[in-house]
Structure formats: structure tokens, C-alpha cells
Amino acid sequence: MESRWLTLGLTSGALATLGALVVAAPARAATLQYWWFDAQTNQLVFTTDSQVQPRAQLLVNPTRIVVDLPNTQMGSTSASQSVGGAVREVRAGQFDRQTTRLVIELAPGYSLNPQDVRVQGVRPNQWAVQLPTLNQGAAPASGALPPPTATANRVQGNTGTGAGSILSGVVTTGDGFLIRLSGTSPTPTVQITNDDADNRFAIIDLPNTAVAGNLRPDDLPNYRYSIIAWDVAQQPTSPPSTRITLRLSPTSPDWRALRNSSGVIVLPPSGVPLNSIADEPAPAAPLAAAPGRPPQAQMPQAQPPQAQAQIPPRPTPSRPIQSSPTPPPTRSAEPPSLPSAPSGRVVVAIDPGHGGRDPGAVGIGGLQEKQVIFPISLRVAELLESQGVVVVMTRREDVAIDLQARADIANRAQANLFVSIHANAISMSRPDVNGIESYYSSESGRRLAATLQASMLAATGMRDRGVKQARFAVLRQSTMPATLLEVGFVTGAQDAPRLADPAWRETMAQAIARGILQYIQQGL
């Protein structure tokens, strides 16, 4: 969930360690569970079963990026991947008894600027190495490692001149945050992007505003009120304007911004008490931050994206899921009989999220989201078909399908309803976050989401996280009433044992099918 960036430097003629993300060392040896290089995004993603302290270096002859994982064993993950083009091969191996090594080797004749290579910490045990565009040319010149900073915040482009208002800082208050401004306070605008729980942003635009030249990332709030990071960037407009991008945790509210006499205040929605918003847990140790912005897939641009941003595939554990505590009992061992479908042809599209090499969220004991929601989805389809409903599945196998294709399948089938089934996740340091929630995008999906949420709550007795509006791509691109269900947290101490239990999954499938049939009975 956190986004942490490290720029790699190069010292010529040596196997120079170019930088590391420092986190608390695990008490036992970690295991490399999964890795994959995505050639389309030039990104290596890898995960371990516990926290690691990656260290990276750039070597020449041949040119290659080496990522060492100390106190980590190889596990049974794949050993190599042929890529083609600018990247010849990516491989993993046991470098010594205590170190697993990942190597990205470039094809002959290709080089990169080490200052453009970034390491992103997605979670304490999940990382992404982002390469820039690779060009043919000579070996890279030497480059110095930027000094580390203990915050994920960023300040960019600040000149402090040429505008009617100057942003001098941001402070935490008893109501939220105060953006301190001198001069004439502008009227702020706010955009919220909700394409993915792990990529939620609040974008605050301040016209005719420059950023003070002495403002530093450490001067901004650090992991307060569920905000992971602040990105303050002066824009090259005339006069200058300033964009503040707040990276939100999955549980963060949709913040609003209002002008007042001291600047701009940032507040939670009306009716949401500030004491109900937890501080976002900070990383375990200081992080090295890159001087530039993350790629577009990670940080929104001038307008909210019209299609969901590309997200690297989450990890696939290569060893069996660890045993979990006995799950709490569900409310009823014998679910009531399902409602009957009305006469006439009704088509329901069921969308099991993720799949294939994208396992979705990975939680306690290595529990994968796709392992949870795929059997639930198949069972929902079976139950609906037994009641005379025509079911269209976006996938019936463990394969990856992009978001637009999922919506296209439902649209081509002229489905009456679209139900996308997922499991939720948050930082592994927050096992206290549990519960189910249902999302809709347009008003046509609100009743469907509310009906299914009520059915799931009645059957399971789980924590109610509410019915919410969000701009998930599969919901926006579907032409019929659509909802996205989050059936629990794979990272939750209460939810994870339930999600891993086949009996509980049967209960959830019955509840979803019952809710769909109730919705159909009420009228499409």
C-alpha cells in the first residue's frame, strides 16, 4: 500500500551498492515467494513471506541491475524469464546461503541512466523495480546516490515567486489539516480518484499559487489521518499554480478542501468525526526517496484517469498456505432456500477478480485473493443457474483478463446485472481492519450494491463497512447495473480465517446468490 521510491546511483568500476530501502530485519529467514518482470511496464515485481531489506546495485559487462535480498531463501519460484527487446533476461538464484539475488540483464548495446531506476515498496514484503525507457548507447555515466529522507512526501518545482499566493507549509489540526498561505487565498478544487483500493488519491488544485522555495518534504504531515503521502508540486503555468496530491489508504475518507482566512483547510466529509480516522502506519524505518515523481500508473495526472491505472501483478506464494485459526462460526449452518427467479430470460454477469499471474491481494499466511473469490464466484454461478438464471462468467479458469475485457464480456452478452467479486487488503500491520463492503459507480447500481451488502451481512454477521460509490473501471465501463463486492480482508485477523475456510465461502456464495435473486424479484 505504501509507495516508497529509491533512486539508484552508480560508482564506476566497482560493485557499488547503489542504495537500499531500510526496513526492520525479520527475526527469521524470509522466502522469495514470487517474482515477475512485466515487459509492457518495464517493471520487476517480487514478494517475500516476511519483511526484507532489499539492496540494489548496477553492474556492467554485461549491464545488469542486481537486487539482493539478505536473510532470504529462494523458495520454489521460477529461476529465469526470457524477456526480449531491451531486456535480455531476468533471473533469480541463491547467491549465498543467506542471500537471494534477482538480476535484470539488459540486451547487448542497451544502457540506462541509474538515476532513473526506482524501487517502490508496495508493502513491507512486496516490491517493484521500475526501469526507465531503455535506449541503445554507451554504458551509463557515474551518478551519486541522493541523500535519504525519512518521509514518503515530495515537494517539487518550488520557486516561491510569481503568484498571488505562496504556500509555506501544511500543519495538522484538530479538524484535519491547514495549508498555510500568504497573500490572497485561492479557491481550491478537489478531485478524488477511486480506481483501485491501493491507488486512491485526493488531488487539490490551488490556482495562482506558488510553493515556498524553502519548503521541504519533512515539513509536511507524516502518515497522519490515513494519508500515506503528500506530493506538493508547483505547476509550470502562468501564473504558477500548485497541485497537492494526497495518497490515501484504502480506509481513508474522501477529503474536501475549503478556503479560510489562514489559507485552505482540508477536512473529512461532513458527518465523519476526525477521531474515527486512524493514522496511517509509517514504514518501519527511514526510506530513501527519489527526487522525481513516480510513473503515471502510480500518481494521477491533470485529470482523473478514464481507465484504471496499470498495477503490477501481486505476488503468488509458491508454498502452501499456513494453517489458520478456526474461523468464527457464521450465523446459520443451514441457509434458507434461495428465492426463485421470475419467468423470462435474465442474464447475470459474474466477474471473479484478478486471476492467472495476478493473484490479487496476498494476506495472512500467504492467503491469495484469487484463491478466495474464484470458488465463491463459481458457486454463485452454479446457484443462479439452478434457479433458471443465465450466467455469463468473465472467466471460468485461472487466467488474467484486463479490466476492459471484463466489462466487454458483460456488455456483449447484454447482461441485466454485473457483479464483480473481490477480497480486500490493507497493510499487514493492520489486522484490526475487517469487514465487507459493496461499491457502485452510477445510481443504477446503488440498489444492487445495497441489496447484496444486506444479504452478505445477514448471512455472515461480519463487520459492515458500508455501501460506497467509487469509479472502479469495471463498474464505469459496464452498461448495466453493476456492483463490486469486497467479501472481507485477507489481511484481517477476523476475516482471513473465514476467507480460507470452504464452509464460510459456501455461506458467502449463498448470500451473494440470494441477494442477486432478491434484486431480480424486486424488479430489474
Side-chain angles (χ1 to χ4, degrees):
M1 186 176 60
E2 295 88 7
S3 182
R4 314 164 198 164
W5 293 88
L6 171 69
T7 295
L8 306 180
L10 173 65
T11 300
S12 59
L15 304 185
T17 298
L18 307 182
L21 256 167
V22 182
V23 295
R28 61 176 179 83
T31 298
L32 179 63
Q33 294 181 312
Y34 166 89
W35 65 268
W36 181 260
F37 186 84
D38 189 330
Q40 291 185 335
T41 60
N42 261 5
Q43 189 173 67
L44 170 68
V45 178
F46 64 90
T47 187
T48 57
D49 64 350
S50 59
Q51 292 187 6
V52 294
Q53 181 179 326
R55 297 189 179 276
Q57 55 185 319
L58 180 64
L59 309 181
V60 294
N61 297 323
T63 302
R64 60 203 186 277
I65 295 169
V66 171
V67 182
D68 284 333
L69 310 180
N71 198 27
T72 302
Q73 300 300 306
M74 175 69 173
S76 59
T77 186
S78 56
S80 65
Q81 175 191 348
S82 296
V83 180
V87 176
R88 176 181 175 273
E89 181 185 57
V90 182
R91 55 187 180 271
Q94 196 69 42
F95 180 68
D96 58 33
R97 293 183 61 184
Q98 296 183 328
T99 306
T100 293
R101 170 167 287 187
L102 290 158
V103 178
I104 307 172
E105 182 178 332
L106 304 190
Y110 283 88
S111 64
L112 54 79
N113 184 344
Q115 292 293 319
D116 293 334
V117 179
R118 296 185 176 98
V119 176
Q120 176 194 6
V122 183
R123 294 184 175 89
N125 68 327
Q126 183 184 346
W127 306 86
V129 180
Q130 179 67 57
L131 304 186
T133 301
L134 300 172
N135 300 308
Q136 290 183 312
S142 299
L145 181 69
T149 175
T151 177
N153 298 330
R154 286 183 292 276
V155 178
Q156 302 170 71
N158 43 325
T159 65
T161 60
S165 180
I166 306 298
L167 191 159
S168 59
V170 181
V171 295
T172 304
T173 69
D175 299 315
F177 303 95
L178 170 64
I179 302 173
R180 286 179 170 165
L181 299 167
S182 59
T184 303
S185 296
T187 300
T189 60
V190 181
Q191 303 174 52
I192 303 293
T193 69
N194 288 306
D195 273 1
D196 183 86
D198 285 341
N199 282 282
R200 296 185 61 235
F201 301 92
I203 304 170
I204 304 171
D205 283 317
L206 305 177
N208 197 19
T209 301
V211 180
N214 61 352
L215 184 67
R216 300 177 304 144
D218 290 339
D219 297 330
L220 303 172
N222 210 19
Y223 299 99
R224 293 304 309 274
Y225 300 145
S226 77
I227 294 176
I228 299 168
W230 290 68
D231 183 298
V232 178
Q234 182 175 314
Q235 306 295 302
T237 56
S238 181
S241 59
T242 293
R243 163 157 292 182
I244 301 174
T245 302
L246 308 182
R247 186 176 180 90
L248 309 178
S249 77
T251 57
S252 181
D254 290 346
W255 294 86
R256 55 199 176 110
L258 304 171
R259 181 174 63 175
N260 76 356
S261 59
S262 301
V264 169
I265 53 175
V266 181
L267 306 172
S270 178
V272 177
L274 196 66
N275 60 12
S276 70
I277 306 171
D279 286 343
E280 177 63 24
L287 304 175
R293 295 176 73 96
Q296 283 188 339
Q298 297 298 330
M299 191 67 71
Q301 301 299 310
Q303 298 295 330
Q306 297 304 307
Q308 184 161 341
Q310 288 185 324
I311 302 169
R314 293 192 177 106
T316 305
S318 57
R319 59 185 193 174
I321 296 174
Q322 300 170 6
S323 60
S324 301
T326 302
T330 53
R331 288 209 169 168
S332 60
E334 294 296 332
S337 59
L338 293 173
S340 59
S343 59
R345 189 175 188 269
V346 177
V347 180
V348 175
I350 300 295
D351 173 41
H354 307 281
R357 63 181 179 87
D358 174 15
V362 177
I364 295 173
L367 181 63
Q368 298 177 348
E369 179 179 358
K370 73 172 186 177
Q371 293 174 327
V372 174
I373 56 93
F374 191 48
I376 291 176
S377 301
L378 291 176
R379 181 62 174 145
V380 169
E382 182 181 13
L383 292 168
L384 292 176
E385 288 170 342
S386 71
Q387 299 302 112
V389 174
V390 177
V391 176
V392 175
M393 299 283 291
T394 58
R395 64 180 181 93
R396 289 187 179 269
E397 298 177 344
D398 186 19
V399 294
I401 301 176
D402 65 37
L403 299 174
Q404 182 63 58
R406 295 171 186 266
D408 288 345
I409 290 171
N411 293 338
R412 284 197 300 268
Q414 297 183 330
N416 300 100
L417 307 174
F418 179 90
V419 179
S420 187
I421 302 176
H422 290 254
N424 225 331
I426 195 172
S427 168
M428 294 286 279
S429 64
R430 294 295 306 276
D432 57 304
V433 178
N434 297 270
I436 56 178
E437 55 196 14
S438 300
Y439 289 91
Y440 66 95
S441 178
S442 64
E443 283 302 310
S444 67
R446 183 197 288 267
R447 181 170 66 88
L448 176 61
T451 301
L452 295 185
Q453 180 79 0
S455 183
M456 292 187 292
L457 290 173
T460 65
M462 295 173 68
R463 186 176 301 177
D464 182 6
R465 292 177 55 85
V467 177
K468 306 173 183 179
Q469 189 170 23
R471 298 182 70 255
F472 293 128
V474 291
L475 302 185
R476 294 198 320 269
Q477 295 162 5
S478 301
T479 58
M480 67 292 299
T483 184
L484 186 146
L485 310 179
E486 298 279 9
V487 298
F489 281 78
V490 294
T491 52
Q494 296 176 4
D495 288 356
R498 288 168 163 159
L499 296 168
D501 178 42
W504 179 92
R505 294 199 292 261
E506 172 65 21
T507 299
M508 180 58 74
Q510 292 268 352
I512 295 171
R514 184 176 301 107
I516 292 172
L517 291 168
Q518 289 171 347
Y519 177 90
I520 294 171
Q521 282 190 335
Q522 294 165 4
L524 294 172

